[in-house]
């Protein structure tokens, strides 16, 4: 099992990255554990549900309560493919102090803990620090230094967490531990390490015009505005908007509010 934790207010890129990592890791035999909260937790569970090993949720309420209520359907899906775990008796409401307490169970049940996006004061870092104290492996995905949600993972990296860029970074570190756990199917993990599976491939730019290709290359995974693209490319507003619409239709970028885009 691998714990995945992070911010309740994650970016769209963070959510997509979390779901992708969770699905790939679940397909490699690692059941995904998280806390059923908004944001990164939910994305981790959703990705785990798409993988072979499924997912497990540790909650800070009684098992007859779902918090947040918006996750009722997600909770039902988790029960069908995995389990929901609680140390609290039936009828226990979502009390604030229960959630930091349950974090030790999330980290304790897992071989390691992956931090995706988290602020410095995030409860996710409590889980990661408890994982370090419990002798578990801790992993963190770095981010843009201008994004406050990157500060948590960066802090964990400074404290000894392994910097992660792709799924195989985690599997390589856990491989000796996976060999010791006969109840896990380790062959899929070996396959990933040998074949590099679970790594997101570079998108194909075939069929794009030169203008579209240039604008795609100017985009980063952080949102970029119309004015920024005009200044960098020297194209006018109409040219940029037309090209960006074609990139959206090709699935290469996502249109955001206030005339901004970011890579898919």
């Amino acid at each position: 099992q691998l714990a995945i934790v992070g911010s309740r207010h994650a970016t769209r890129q963070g959510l997509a990255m979390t779901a992708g990592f969770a699905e790939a890791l679940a397909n490699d035999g690692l059941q995904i554990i998280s806390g059923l909260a908004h944001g990164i937790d939910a994305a981790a569970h959703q990705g785990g549900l798409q993988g072979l090993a499924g997912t497990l949720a540790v909650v800070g309420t009684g098992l007859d309560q779902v918090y947040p209520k918006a996750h009722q359907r997600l909770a039902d899906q988790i029960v069908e493919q995995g389990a929901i775990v609680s140390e609290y008796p039936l009828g226990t409401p979502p009390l604030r102090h229960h959630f930091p307490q349950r974090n030790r169970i999330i980290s304790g049940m897992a071989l390691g803990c992956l931090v995706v996006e988290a602020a410095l004061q995030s409860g996710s870092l409590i889980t990661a620090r408890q994982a370090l104290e419990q002798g578990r492996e801790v992993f963190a995905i770095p981010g843009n230094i201008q994004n406050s949600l990157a500060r948590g993972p960066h802090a964990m990296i400074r404290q000894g967490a392994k910097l992660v860029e792709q799924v195989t970074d985690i599997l390589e570190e856990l491989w000796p531990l996976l060999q010791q756990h006969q109840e896990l199917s380790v062959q899929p993990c070996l396959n990933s390490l040998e074949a590099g599976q679970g790594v997101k491939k570079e998108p194909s730019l075939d069929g794009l015009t030169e203008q579209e290709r240039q604008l795609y290359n100017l985009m980063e995974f952080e949102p970029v505005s119309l004015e920024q693209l005009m200044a960098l490319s020297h194209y006018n507003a109409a040219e940029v908007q037309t090209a960006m619409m074609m990139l959206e239709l090709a699935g290469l970028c996502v249109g955001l509010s206030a005339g901004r885009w970011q890579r898919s």
Side-chain angles (χ1 to χ4, degrees), residues 113-178:
C113 177
L114 172 64
V115 183
V116 183
E117 288 183 334
L120 282 176
Q121 303 302 319
S122 170
S124 305
L125 296 195
I126 297 175
T127 310
R129 292 187 181 106
Q130 287 173 334
L132 286 173
E133 293 169 2
Q134 292 165 336
R136 305 299 193 262
E137 300 295 332
V138 177
F139 308 92
I141 298 177
N144 189 317
I145 60 172
Q146 295 180 323
N147 181 357
S148 62
L149 295 179
R151 293 176 184 170
H154 292 175
M156 295 313 303
I157 291 169
R158 286 194 293 271
Q159 294 177 41
K162 179 171 181 177
L163 186 153
V164 170
E165 294 179 327
Q166 56 190 23
V167 170
T168 49
D169 294 332
I170 297 173
L171 297 177
E172 287 169 355
E173 197 74 20
L174 293 182
W175 177 242
L177 296 174
L178 289 167

